[in-house]
Amino acid sequence: MTCDSPSKNTGFLRAHRVRAAGVACVVVTAALLTGCGQDSGSTSASTQTSEAARAVPEATTSPSPTGSDSASPGRMTEDQQERKDLISATKVTYDKAVTTAEGEVKGGKLVDLELMTAKDAADEDESPSPSPTGSPSPTGSPSPTGSAAAGAPQWVATVAAKTGTKHKVHIDAVSGKVLSSSEDSDQSTSDKAKTAKRITQAKQTPQQAAKAATAKQQGTVTALDLDDDDQGALVWKTDVVTKDWKKTTFDIDASNGSVTHQETDND
């Protein structure tokens, strides 16, 4: 009896150890499977995060529609752009226009001159109405589109006879040809007398006034007007457009050629 009891106990302990080892194996296997699953998921998530990180800088570095490249042309105002277009298309300088205009009126003196578009010239004075196509001359328009543009340049001059009678003269600013010349019928006797007095008092020619203005500010002369200033002094109001397409108006004393006032239009 003493020999049978140990044998039974030994068998029981061996079976218990086998079952314990089996359970441990199952636990280890489950842990390994779980770990593999987590690693796989972690790798996938890491890949997605990396791709998203690369996508963000690409989206934020795309150029804005209002970037600096498109802002540069916007620095020029509408008035400056109009001056640039008008002056760039003009071939006849102010001094040639003065000589041509005064040649249309015997003994006449220029009292006003301005560079403007054909449309503005037609709006200001109905007498030189443009042709149906809008072309101011047989040479055609300098417009890039080839159309007889309303923006074609003209010199519009007012020339006064010794009696003070004014004549309006339109000159093609590309070819230099006279487009029209007509007497201003809307003048009173007092107006004529006032104009006659002014051209007698003016000792400075329009060319001299223009030179005095450009000596102060280099640029293109676009207008000359014999008129009284705020103090009642007779002056040549002279417009000069600079390289930045801004316009400065000078008051040039019509008796001695000195600059009495200047004002810049920054628009």
Side-chain angles (χ1 to χ4, degrees), residues 167-253:
H167 297 257
K168 187 63 66 70
V169 183
H170 288 247
I171 303 168
D172 187 315
V174 177
S175 67
K177 294 181 179 180
V178 175
L179 303 175
S180 64
S181 179
S182 60
E183 181 179 325
D184 186 356
S185 59
D186 189 20
Q187 280 186 279
S188 64
T189 302
S190 60
D191 287 339
K192 292 180 181 180
K194 185 177 181 179
T195 301
K197 183 179 179 181
R198 279 181 174 174
I199 60 176
T200 301
Q201 291 177 332
K203 304 304 179 184
Q204 297 290 307
T205 65
Q207 292 92 332
Q208 288 173 323
K211 288 180 180 179
T214 52
K216 285 286 186 180
Q217 178 69 67
Q218 291 186 349
T220 302
V221 175
T222 59
L224 289 156
D225 182 23
L226 184 63
D227 200 359
D228 296 334
D229 64 9
D230 294 338
Q231 286 72 42
L234 187 63
V235 297
W236 281 104
K237 292 186 176 295
T238 308
D239 289 349
V240 178
V241 176
T242 51
K243 290 182 179 180
D244 57 4
W245 309 110
K246 294 179 181 179
K247 180 182 72 176
T248 300
T249 301
F250 295 89
D251 285 357
I252 310 298
D253 192 308

Coordinates of all heavy atoms in Angstrom, one line a residue, residues 167-253:
H167 N -10.2 131.3 -82.0 CA -10.4 130.3 -83.0 C -9.9 129.0 -82.4 O -8.9 128.9 -81.8 CB -9.6 130.5 -84.3 CG -9.9 131.8 -85.0 ND1 -10.7 131.8 -86.2 CD2 -9.7 133.1 -84.7 CE1 -10.9 133.0 -86.6 NE2 -10.3 133.9 -85.7
K168 N -10.7 127.9 -82.6 CA -10.4 126.6 -82.1 C -9.8 125.8 -83.2 O -10.3 125.7 -84.3 CB -11.7 125.9 -81.6 CG -11.5 124.6 -80.9 CD -10.6 124.8 -79.6 CE -11.3 125.6 -78.5 NZ -12.4 124.9 -77.9
V169 N -8.6 125.2 -82.9 CA -7.9 124.4 -83.9 C -7.6 123.0 -83.3 O -7.0 122.9 -82.2 CB -6.5 125.1 -84.3 CG1 -5.8 124.3 -85.4 CG2 -6.8 126.5 -84.7
H170 N -8.0 122.0 -84.1 CA -7.7 120.6 -83.7 C -6.6 120.1 -84.6 O -6.7 120.1 -85.8 CB -9.0 119.8 -83.8 CG -10.0 120.1 -82.8 ND1 -10.3 119.2 -81.8 CD2 -10.7 121.2 -82.5 CE1 -11.3 119.7 -81.0 NE2 -11.5 120.9 -81.4
I171 N -5.6 119.5 -83.9 CA -4.4 118.9 -84.6 C -4.2 117.5 -84.3 O -4.2 117.1 -83.1 CB -3.2 119.7 -84.3 CG1 -3.4 121.2 -84.6 CG2 -1.9 119.2 -85.0 CD1 -2.3 122.1 -84.0
D172 N -4.1 116.7 -85.3 CA -3.8 115.2 -85.1 C -2.4 115.2 -84.4 O -1.4 115.6 -85.0 CB -3.8 114.5 -86.4 CG -3.6 113.0 -86.3 OD1 -2.8 112.6 -85.5 OD2 -4.4 112.3 -87.0
A173 N -2.3 114.6 -83.3 CA -1.1 114.5 -82.5 C -0.2 113.4 -83.0 O 0.9 113.2 -82.4 CB -1.4 114.3 -81.0
V174 N -0.6 112.7 -84.0 CA 0.3 111.6 -84.6 C 0.9 112.1 -85.9 O 2.1 112.1 -86.1 CB -0.5 110.3 -84.8 CG1 0.4 109.3 -85.5 CG2 -1.0 109.8 -83.5
S175 N 0.1 112.7 -86.8 CA 0.6 113.1 -88.1 C 0.9 114.6 -88.1 O 1.7 115.1 -88.9 CB -0.5 112.9 -89.1 OG -1.6 113.7 -88.9
G176 N 0.3 115.4 -87.2 CA 0.6 116.9 -87.2 C -0.4 117.6 -88.1 O -0.3 118.9 -88.2
K177 N -1.3 116.9 -88.7 CA -2.2 117.6 -89.7 C -3.3 118.3 -88.9 O -3.8 117.9 -87.8 CB -2.8 116.6 -90.6 CG -1.8 115.9 -91.6 CD -2.5 115.0 -92.5 CE -1.5 114.4 -93.5 NZ -2.2 113.4 -94.4
V178 N -3.8 119.4 -89.5 CA -4.9 120.2 -88.9 C -6.2 119.4 -89.3 O -6.5 119.2 -90.4 CB -4.9 121.6 -89.4 CG1 -6.2 122.3 -88.9 CG2 -3.7 122.4 -89.0
L179 N -7.0 119.1 -88.2 CA -8.2 118.4 -88.5 C -9.4 119.3 -88.7 O -10.3 119.1 -89.5 CB -8.5 117.5 -87.3 CG -7.5 116.4 -86.9 CD1 -7.8 115.7 -85.6 CD2 -7.3 115.4 -88.1
S180 N -9.3 120.5 -88.0 CA -10.4 121.5 -88.1 C -9.9 122.8 -87.6 O -9.0 122.8 -86.7 CB -11.7 121.0 -87.4 OG -11.5 120.9 -86.0
S181 N -10.5 123.9 -88.1 CA -10.2 125.2 -87.6 C -11.4 126.1 -87.8 O -11.9 126.2 -88.9 CB -9.0 125.8 -88.4 OG -8.7 127.1 -87.9
S182 N -11.9 126.6 -86.7 CA -13.1 127.4 -86.8 C -13.1 128.5 -85.7 O -12.5 128.4 -84.7 CB -14.3 126.5 -86.6 OG -14.3 125.9 -85.3
E183 N -13.9 129.6 -86.1 CA -14.0 130.7 -85.1 C -15.0 130.4 -84.0 O -16.0 129.7 -84.3 CB -14.4 131.9 -85.9 CG -14.6 133.2 -85.1 CD -15.0 134.4 -85.9 OE1 -14.6 134.5 -87.0 OE2 -15.8 135.2 -85.3
D184 N -14.7 130.8 -82.8 CA -15.6 130.6 -81.7 C -16.7 131.7 -81.8 O -16.4 132.9 -81.6 CB -14.8 130.7 -80.4 CG -15.7 130.4 -79.2 OD1 -16.9 130.2 -79.4 OD2 -15.2 130.4 -78.1
S185 N -17.9 131.2 -82.2 CA -19.0 132.2 -82.3 C -19.6 132.6 -81.0 O -20.4 133.6 -81.0 CB -20.0 131.6 -83.3 OG -20.5 130.3 -82.7
D186 N -19.3 131.9 -80.0 CA -19.9 132.2 -78.7 C -19.1 133.1 -77.8 O -18.6 132.8 -76.8 CB -20.2 130.9 -77.9 CG -21.1 131.1 -76.7 OD1 -21.7 132.1 -76.6 OD2 -21.0 130.2 -75.8
Q187 N -18.8 134.3 -78.4 CA -18.0 135.3 -77.7 C -18.7 136.7 -77.6 O -19.2 137.1 -78.6 CB -16.6 135.5 -78.4 CG -15.6 134.4 -78.1 CD -14.3 134.8 -78.7 OE1 -14.1 134.6 -79.9 NE2 -13.4 135.4 -78.0
S188 N -18.7 137.2 -76.5 CA -19.2 138.6 -76.3 C -18.2 139.6 -76.6 O -17.0 139.3 -76.7 CB -19.8 138.8 -74.9 OG -18.7 138.7 -74.0
T189 N -18.6 140.9 -76.7 CA -17.6 142.0 -77.0 C -16.6 142.1 -75.8 O -15.4 142.3 -76.0 CB -18.4 143.3 -77.2 OG1 -19.3 143.1 -78.3 CG2 -17.4 144.4 -77.5
S190 N -17.1 141.9 -74.6 CA -16.3 142.1 -73.4 C -15.3 140.9 -73.4 O -14.1 141.1 -72.9 CB -17.1 142.1 -72.2 OG -17.9 140.9 -72.0
D191 N -15.7 139.7 -73.8 CA -14.8 138.6 -73.8 C -13.6 138.8 -74.8 O -12.5 138.5 -74.5 CB -15.5 137.3 -74.2 CG -16.4 136.8 -73.1 OD1 -16.2 137.2 -71.9 OD2 -17.4 136.0 -73.4
K192 N -14.0 139.4 -75.9 CA -13.0 139.6 -77.0 C -12.0 140.7 -76.5 O -10.8 140.6 -76.7 CB -13.6 140.1 -78.3 CG -14.4 139.0 -79.0 CD -15.0 139.5 -80.3 CE -15.8 138.4 -81.0 NZ -16.4 138.9 -82.2
A193 N -12.5 141.7 -75.8 CA -11.7 142.8 -75.3 C -10.7 142.3 -74.2 O -9.5 142.6 -74.2 CB -12.5 143.9 -74.7
K194 N -11.2 141.4 -73.4 CA -10.4 140.8 -72.3 C -9.3 139.9 -72.9 O -8.1 140.0 -72.4 CB -11.3 140.0 -71.4 CG -10.5 139.4 -70.2 CD -11.5 138.6 -69.3 CE -10.8 138.1 -68.0 NZ -11.8 137.4 -67.1
T195 N -9.6 139.1 -73.9 CA -8.6 138.3 -74.5 C -7.5 139.1 -75.2 O -6.3 138.8 -75.2 CB -9.3 137.3 -75.5 OG1 -10.2 136.5 -74.8 CG2 -8.3 136.4 -76.2
A196 N -8.0 140.2 -75.9 CA -7.0 141.1 -76.6 C -6.1 141.7 -75.7 O -4.9 141.9 -76.0 CB -7.8 142.1 -77.4
K197 N -6.5 142.1 -74.5 CA -5.7 142.7 -73.5 C -4.7 141.7 -72.9 O -3.5 142.0 -72.7 CB -6.6 143.2 -72.3 CG -5.8 143.9 -71.2 CD -6.7 144.4 -70.1 CE -5.9 145.1 -69.0 NZ -6.8 145.6 -67.9
R198 N -5.1 140.5 -72.8 CA -4.2 139.4 -72.2 C -3.0 139.1 -73.2 O -1.9 139.0 -72.7 CB -5.0 138.1 -72.0 CG -5.7 138.1 -70.7 CD -6.5 136.8 -70.5 NE -7.1 136.7 -69.2 CZ -7.9 135.7 -68.8 NH1 -8.1 134.7 -69.6 NH2 -8.4 135.7 -67.6
I199 N -3.3 139.0 -74.5 CA -2.2 138.7 -75.4 C -1.3 139.8 -75.6 O -0.1 139.7 -75.9 CB -2.8 138.2 -76.8 CG1 -3.6 139.3 -77.4 CG2 -3.6 136.9 -76.6 CD1 -4.1 138.9 -78.8
T200 N -1.8 141.1 -75.3 CA -0.9 142.2 -75.3 C 0.0 142.3 -74.1 O 1.2 142.6 -74.2 CB -1.7 143.5 -75.4 OG1 -2.5 143.5 -76.6 CG2 -0.8 144.7 -75.5
Q201 N -0.5 141.9 -72.9 CA 0.2 142.0 -71.7 C 1.2 140.8 -71.5 O 2.3 141.0 -70.9 CB -0.8 141.9 -70.5 CG -1.6 143.1 -70.3 CD -2.6 143.0 -69.2 OE1 -3.0 141.9 -68.8 NE2 -3.0 144.1 -68.5
A202 N 1.0 139.7 -72.2 CA 1.8 138.5 -72.0 C 3.2 138.8 -72.8 O 3.2 138.9 -74.0 CB 1.1 137.3 -72.6
K203 N 4.2 138.8 -72.0 CA 5.5 139.1 -72.6 C 6.3 137.7 -72.8 O 7.2 137.7 -73.6 CB 6.4 139.9 -71.7 CG 5.8 141.3 -71.3 CD 5.4 142.1 -72.6 CE 4.8 143.4 -72.2 NZ 4.4 144.2 -73.5
Q204 N 5.8 136.7 -72.2 CA 6.4 135.4 -72.3 C 5.6 134.6 -73.3 O 4.3 134.5 -73.3 CB 6.4 134.6 -71.0 CG 7.3 135.3 -69.9 CD 8.8 135.2 -70.2 OE1 9.3 134.1 -70.5 NE2 9.5 136.3 -70.2
T205 N 6.2 133.9 -74.3 CA 5.5 133.1 -75.2 C 5.2 131.8 -74.5 O 5.8 131.4 -73.5 CB 6.4 132.8 -76.4 OG1 7.6 132.0 -76.0 CG2 6.9 134.1 -77.1
P206 N 4.3 131.0 -75.1 CA 4.0 129.7 -74.5 C 5.2 128.7 -74.5 O 5.4 128.0 -73.6 CB 2.9 129.1 -75.4 CG 2.9 129.9 -76.6 CD 3.4 131.3 -76.3
Q207 N 6.1 128.9 -75.5 CA 7.3 128.1 -75.5 C 8.2 128.4 -74.4 O 8.8 127.5 -73.8 CB 8.0 128.2 -76.9 CG 7.3 127.6 -78.1 CD 6.4 128.7 -78.8 OE1 5.9 129.6 -78.1 NE2 6.2 128.5 -80.1
Q208 N 8.3 129.7 -74.1 CA 9.2 130.1 -73.0 C 8.6 129.7 -71.6 O 9.4 129.3 -70.7 CB 9.3 131.7 -73.0 CG 10.2 132.2 -74.1 CD 10.2 133.7 -74.2 OE1 9.1 134.4 -74.0 NE2 11.3 134.3 -74.6
A209 N 7.3 129.7 -71.5 CA 6.7 129.3 -70.3 C 6.9 127.8 -70.1 O 7.2 127.3 -69.0 CB 5.2 129.6 -70.3
A210 N 6.8 127.0 -71.2 CA 7.0 125.6 -71.1 C 8.4 125.2 -70.7 O 8.7 124.3 -69.8 CB 6.7 124.9 -72.4
K211 N 9.4 126.0 -71.2 CA 10.8 125.8 -70.8 C 11.1 126.1 -69.4 O 11.8 125.4 -68.7 CB 11.7 126.6 -71.7 CG 11.8 126.1 -73.2 CD 12.7 126.9 -74.0 CE 12.8 126.4 -75.5 NZ 13.6 127.3 -76.3
A212 N 10.4 127.2 -68.9 CA 10.6 127.5 -67.4 C 10.0 126.4 -66.6 O 10.6 126.1 -65.5 CB 9.8 128.8 -67.2
A213 N 8.9 125.8 -67.0 CA 8.3 124.7 -66.2 C 9.1 123.5 -66.2 O 9.4 122.8 -65.2 CB 6.9 124.4 -66.7
T214 N 9.6 123.1 -67.4 CA 10.4 121.9 -67.5 C 11.8 122.0 -66.9 O 12.5 121.0 -66.6 CB 10.5 121.4 -68.9 OG1 11.0 122.5 -69.8 CG2 9.2 120.9 -69.5
A215 N 12.3 123.3 -66.7 CA 13.5 123.5 -66.0 C 13.4 123.2 -64.5 O 14.3 122.8 -63.9 CB 13.9 125.0 -66.1
K216 N 12.2 123.3 -64.0 CA 11.9 122.9 -62.6 C 11.6 121.4 -62.5 O 11.9 120.8 -61.5 CB 10.7 123.7 -62.1 CG 10.9 125.2 -61.8 CD 11.7 125.3 -60.5 CE 11.8 126.7 -60.0 NZ 12.6 126.8 -58.8
Q217 N 10.9 120.9 -63.5 CA 10.5 119.5 -63.4 C 10.6 118.9 -64.8 O 9.8 119.3 -65.7 CB 9.1 119.3 -62.9 CG 8.6 117.9 -62.8 CD 9.4 117.1 -61.8 OE1 9.3 117.3 -60.6 NE2 10.1 116.1 -62.2
Q218 N 11.5 118.0 -65.1 CA 11.6 117.4 -66.4 C 10.4 116.5 -66.6 O 9.9 115.8 -65.8 CB 12.9 116.5 -66.5 CG 14.2 117.3 -66.5 CD 15.4 116.5 -66.7 OE1 15.3 115.2 -66.7 NE2 16.5 117.1 -67.0
G219 N 9.9 116.6 -67.9 CA 8.7 115.8 -68.2 C 8.2 116.2 -69.6 O 8.8 117.0 -70.3
T220 N 7.0 115.8 -69.9 CA 6.3 116.1 -71.1 C 5.2 117.2 -70.9 O 4.3 117.0 -70.0 CB 5.6 114.9 -71.7 OG1 6.6 113.8 -71.9 CG2 4.9 115.2 -73.0
V221 N 5.3 118.3 -71.7 CA 4.3 119.3 -71.5 C 3.0 118.9 -72.2 O 3.0 118.5 -73.4 CB 4.8 120.6 -72.2 CG1 3.7 121.7 -72.2 CG2 6.0 121.1 -71.5
T222 N 1.9 118.9 -71.5 CA 0.6 118.4 -72.1 C -0.4 119.5 -72.1 O -1.5 119.3 -72.7 CB 0.1 117.2 -71.2 OG1 -0.1 117.7 -69.9 CG2 1.0 116.1 -71.3
A223 N -0.2 120.7 -71.5 CA -1.2 121.8 -71.5 C -0.5 123.1 -71.2 O 0.4 123.2 -70.4 CB -2.3 121.5 -70.5
L224 N -1.1 124.2 -71.9 CA -0.7 125.5 -71.6 C -1.9 126.4 -71.7 O -2.8 126.2 -72.6 CB 0.3 126.0 -72.7 CG 1.7 125.4 -72.7 CD1 2.3 125.5 -74.1 CD2 2.6 126.2 -71.7
D225 N -2.1 127.3 -70.7 CA -3.3 128.1 -70.6 C -2.9 129.5 -70.1 O -2.4 129.6 -69.0 CB -4.3 127.4 -69.7 CG -5.6 128.2 -69.6 OD1 -5.9 129.0 -70.6 OD2 -6.4 128.0 -68.7
L226 N -3.2 130.5 -70.9 CA -3.0 131.9 -70.5 C -4.2 132.4 -69.6 O -5.3 132.5 -70.2 CB -2.8 132.8 -71.7 CG -2.4 134.3 -71.4 CD1 -1.0 134.4 -70.7 CD2 -2.3 135.1 -72.7
D227 N -4.0 132.6 -68.3 CA -5.1 132.9 -67.5 C -4.6 133.6 -66.2 O -3.4 133.8 -66.0 CB -5.8 131.5 -67.0 CG -7.2 131.7 -66.5 OD1 -7.7 132.9 -66.5 OD2 -7.8 130.7 -66.2
D228 N -5.6 134.1 -65.5 CA -5.2 134.8 -64.2 C -5.1 133.8 -63.1 O -5.9 132.8 -63.0 CB -6.3 135.8 -63.8 CG -6.5 136.9 -64.8 OD1 -5.5 137.2 -65.5 OD2 -7.6 137.5 -65.0
D229 N -4.1 134.0 -62.2 CA -4.0 133.1 -61.0 C -4.9 133.6 -59.9 O -5.8 134.5 -60.1 CB -2.6 133.0 -60.5 CG -2.0 134.3 -60.0 OD1 -2.8 135.3 -59.9 OD2 -0.8 134.4 -59.8
D230 N -4.8 133.0 -58.7 CA -5.7 133.4 -57.6 C -5.5 134.8 -57.2 O -6.4 135.4 -56.6 CB -5.5 132.4 -56.4 CG -5.9 131.0 -56.8 OD1 -6.7 130.8 -57.7 OD2 -5.4 130.1 -56.1
Q231 N -4.4 135.4 -57.4 CA -4.1 136.8 -57.0 C -4.4 137.8 -58.1 O -4.2 139.0 -58.0 CB -2.7 136.9 -56.6 CG -2.3 136.3 -55.2 CD -2.3 134.8 -55.2 OE1 -1.8 134.2 -56.2 NE2 -2.9 134.2 -54.2
G232 N -4.9 137.3 -59.3 CA -5.2 138.1 -60.4 C -4.1 138.4 -61.3 O -4.2 139.2 -62.3
A233 N -2.9 137.8 -61.1 CA -1.8 138.0 -62.0 C -1.9 137.1 -63.2 O -2.4 136.0 -63.1 CB -0.5 137.7 -61.2
L234 N -1.4 137.6 -64.3 CA -1.5 136.9 -65.6 C -0.4 135.8 -65.6 O 0.8 136.2 -65.5 CB -1.4 137.8 -66.8 CG -1.6 137.2 -68.2 CD1 -3.0 136.7 -68.3 CD2 -1.3 138.2 -69.3
V235 N -0.8 134.6 -65.8 CA 0.2 133.5 -65.8 C -0.1 132.5 -66.9 O -1.2 132.4 -67.4 CB 0.2 132.7 -64.4 CG1 0.6 133.6 -63.3 CG2 -1.2 132.1 -64.2
W236 N 1.0 131.7 -67.2 CA 0.8 130.6 -68.1 C 0.7 129.4 -67.2 O 1.7 129.0 -66.5 CB 2.0 130.4 -69.0 CG 2.0 131.3 -70.3 CD1 2.8 132.4 -70.4 CD2 1.2 131.1 -71.4 NE1 2.5 133.0 -71.7 CE2 1.6 132.2 -72.3 CE3 0.3 130.2 -71.9 CZ2 1.0 132.3 -73.6 CZ3 -0.3 130.4 -73.1 CH2 0.1 131.4 -74.0
K237 N -0.5 128.7 -67.1 CA -0.6 127.5 -66.4 C -0.1 126.4 -67.2 O -0.7 126.1 -68.3 CB -2.1 127.3 -65.9 CG -2.5 128.3 -64.9 CD -4.0 128.0 -64.4 CE -4.4 129.0 -63.3 NZ -3.6 128.9 -62.1
T238 N 0.9 125.7 -66.8 CA 1.6 124.7 -67.6 C 1.6 123.4 -67.0 O 2.1 123.2 -65.8 CB 3.1 125.2 -67.9 OG1 3.0 126.5 -68.4 CG2 3.7 124.3 -68.9
D239 N 1.1 122.3 -67.6 CA 1.0 121.0 -67.1 C 2.2 120.2 -67.6 O 2.5 120.2 -68.8 CB -0.2 120.2 -67.5 CG -1.5 120.8 -66.8 OD1 -1.3 121.5 -65.9 OD2 -2.6 120.4 -67.2
V240 N 2.9 119.5 -66.7 CA 4.1 118.7 -67.0 C 3.9 117.3 -66.4 O 3.6 117.2 -65.2 CB 5.4 119.3 -66.5 CG1 6.6 118.4 -66.8 CG2 5.7 120.7 -67.1
V241 N 3.9 116.3 -67.3 CA 3.8 114.9 -66.8 C 5.1 114.3 -66.7 O 5.9 114.2 -67.7 CB 2.9 114.1 -67.8 CG1 2.8 112.6 -67.3 CG2 1.5 114.7 -67.8
T242 N 5.5 113.7 -65.6 CA 6.8 113.1 -65.3 C 6.8 111.6 -65.7 O 5.8 111.1 -66.1 CB 7.2 113.3 -63.8 OG1 6.1 112.9 -63.0 CG2 7.4 114.8 -63.5
K243 N 8.0 111.0 -65.5 CA 8.1 109.6 -65.9 C 7.2 108.6 -65.1 O 7.0 107.5 -65.5 CB 9.6 109.2 -65.7 CG 10.5 109.8 -66.7 CD 11.9 109.3 -66.6 CE 12.9 110.0 -67.6 NZ 14.3 109.5 -67.5
D244 N 6.8 109.1 -63.9 CA 5.9 108.2 -63.1 C 4.5 108.5 -63.4 O 3.6 108.0 -62.8 CB 6.2 108.4 -61.6 CG 6.0 109.9 -61.2 OD1 5.6 110.7 -62.0 OD2 6.3 110.2 -60.0
W245 N 4.2 109.3 -64.5 CA 2.9 109.6 -65.0 C 2.1 110.5 -64.1 O 0.9 110.6 -64.3 CB 2.2 108.4 -65.4 CG 3.0 107.5 -66.3 CD1 3.5 106.3 -66.0 CD2 3.5 107.8 -67.7 NE1 4.3 105.8 -67.0 CE2 4.3 106.7 -68.1 CE3 3.3 108.8 -68.5 CZ2 4.9 106.6 -69.3 CZ3 3.9 108.7 -69.8 CH2 4.7 107.6 -70.2
K246 N 2.7 111.2 -63.2 CA 2.0 112.1 -62.3 C 2.1 113.5 -63.1 O 3.0 113.8 -63.8 CB 2.7 112.2 -60.9 CG 2.5 111.0 -60.1 CD 3.2 111.1 -58.8 CE 3.0 109.8 -57.9 NZ 3.7 110.0 -56.6
K247 N 1.1 114.4 -62.7 CA 1.1 115.7 -63.4 C 1.3 116.8 -62.4 O 0.7 116.8 -61.4 CB -0.3 115.8 -64.1 CG -0.5 117.2 -64.8 CD -1.9 117.3 -65.4 CE -2.9 117.5 -64.3 NZ -4.3 117.7 -64.8
T248 N 2.2 117.7 -62.8 CA 2.4 118.9 -62.0 C 2.0 120.1 -62.8 O 2.4 120.3 -64.0 CB 3.9 119.0 -61.6 OG1 4.3 117.9 -60.9 CG2 4.2 120.3 -60.8
T249 N 1.2 121.0 -62.2 CA 0.8 122.3 -62.9 C 1.6 123.4 -62.3 O 1.7 123.6 -61.1 CB -0.7 122.5 -62.7 OG1 -1.4 121.4 -63.2 CG2 -1.1 123.8 -63.3
F250 N 2.3 124.1 -63.2 CA 3.1 125.3 -62.8 C 2.4 126.6 -63.2 O 1.8 126.7 -64.3 CB 4.5 125.2 -63.5 CG 5.3 124.1 -63.0 CD1 5.3 122.9 -63.7 CD2 6.2 124.2 -62.0 CE1 6.1 121.8 -63.3 CE2 7.0 123.2 -61.6 CZ 6.9 122.0 -62.2
D251 N 2.5 127.6 -62.4 CA 2.1 128.9 -62.8 C 3.3 129.7 -63.1 O 4.2 129.9 -62.3 CB 1.4 129.6 -61.6 CG -0.1 129.1 -61.4 OD1 -0.5 128.3 -62.2 OD2 -0.7 129.6 -60.4
I252 N 3.4 130.1 -64.4 CA 4.6 130.8 -64.9 C 4.2 132.3 -65.1 O 3.2 132.5 -65.9 CB 5.1 130.2 -66.2 CG1 5.3 128.7 -66.0 CG2 6.4 130.9 -66.6 CD1 6.3 128.3 -65.0
D253 N 4.8 133.2 -64.5 CA 4.5 134.6 -64.6 C 4.6 135.0 -66.1 O 5.7 134.8 -66.7 CB 5.4 135.5 -63.7 CG 4.9 136.9 -63.6 OD1 4.7 137.5 -64.7 OD2 4.8 137.4 -62.5

